[in-house]
């Protein structure tokens, strides 16, 4: 761990210890203005009719957080995130923080769920967020439990903070595997 990462990680570790000890925890500080965002590349070539929703979902996250940015993969580059359209229910297979596969299931779209919300929600899993079910429409990670009338594609303040914190502490050796069926 570099010294600058250690310095940024220290307040989070102190807050965790205080929380466990019954003390008052404080929020982690924002990253230094000169800190570079982690780039997560995505390949939407298999997203079929949902390519536009994937692009819009990535834009939502790029406007919402600073520690990570989602960018389309360039020719010859390997993507961290692959998006594939299928006939099932939307789901994410996370292989590590910022890496995995999103299956953009047509079943939810056929039932009336908003495509940009689906894309943003599944990207939230890739960025480390779990489902919050049942949950209100104001929570992006409430997913389908918010109902088909919910079109909110933006993470709330807590969801943004969780992603910011996860990517602020990210080390290249961190590996997480999870599957989310929404």
């Amino acid at each position: 761990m570099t010294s600058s990462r250690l310095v940024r990680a220290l307040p989070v570790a102190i807050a965790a210890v205080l929380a466990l000890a019954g003390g008052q925890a404080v929020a982690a500080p924002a990253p230094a203005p000169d800190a570079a965002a982690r780039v997560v590349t995505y390949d939407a070539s298999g997203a079929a009719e949902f390519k536009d929703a994937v692009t819009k979902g990535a834009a939502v996250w790029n406007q919402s957080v600073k520690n990570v940015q989602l960018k389309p993969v360039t020719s010859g580059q390997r993507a961290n995130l692959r998006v594939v359209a299928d006939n099932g229910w939307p789901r994410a297979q996370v292989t590590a923080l910022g890496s995995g596969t999103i299956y953009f299931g047509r079943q939810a779209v056929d039932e009336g769920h908003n495509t940009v919300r689906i894309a943003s929600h599944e990207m939230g899993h890739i960025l480390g967020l779990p489902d919050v079910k049942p949950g209100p429409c104001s929570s992006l990670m409430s997913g389908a439990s918010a109902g088909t009338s919910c079109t909110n594609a933006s993470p709330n303040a807590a969801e943004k903070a969780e992603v910011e914190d996860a990517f602020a502490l990210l080390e290249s050796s961190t590996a997480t595997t999870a599957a989310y069926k929404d």
Side-chain angles (χ1 to χ4, degrees):
M1 182 180 287
T2 64
S3 61
S4 63
R5 279 190 177 162
L6 183 59
V7 168
R8 286 194 311 259
L10 188 57
V12 174
I14 292 170
V17 169
L18 285 173
L20 290 172
Q24 184 170 348
V26 294
D34 59 343
R38 162 94 186 271
V39 174
V40 171
T41 57
Y42 66 90
D43 178 359
S45 64
E49 69 270 28
F50 304 119
K51 284 183 184 177
D52 185 53
V54 171
T55 300
K56 289 177 180 176
V60 166
W61 279 106
N62 290 342
Q63 294 167 3
S64 299
V65 296
K66 300 297 179 217
N67 284 346
V68 62
Q69 293 289 287
L70 294 143
K71 304 288 182 193
V73 69
T74 59
S75 179
Q77 185 181 29
R78 184 176 174 166
N80 304 104
L81 167 59
R82 191 171 61 105
V83 184
V84 179
D86 73 2
N87 292 325
W89 193 258
R91 58 206 180 278
Q93 178 67 49
V94 180
T95 55
L97 184 60
S99 298
T101 303
I102 291 173
Y103 297 92
F104 206 116
R106 292 180 180 97
Q107 184 179 354
V109 177
D110 292 345
E111 290 181 16
H113 292 278
N114 180 274
T115 58
V116 179
R117 179 173 168 83
I118 293 169
S120 294
H121 173 91
E122 297 305 333
M123 288 175 179
H125 288 313
I126 299 296
L127 300 177
L129 298 175
D131 285 317
V132 177
K133 293 184 181 180
C137 183
S138 60
S139 168
L140 174 63
M141 299 314 292
S142 67
S145 72
T148 56
S149 64
C150 179
T151 60
N152 171 38
S154 298
N156 63 29
E159 293 162 338
K160 291 176 191 179
E162 193 170 338
V163 169
E164 292 283 29
D165 289 348
F167 280 87
L169 299 174
L170 180 66
E171 289 186 316
S172 61
S173 62
T174 302
T176 304
T177 302
Y180 299 96
K181 182 179 180 201
D182 299 307

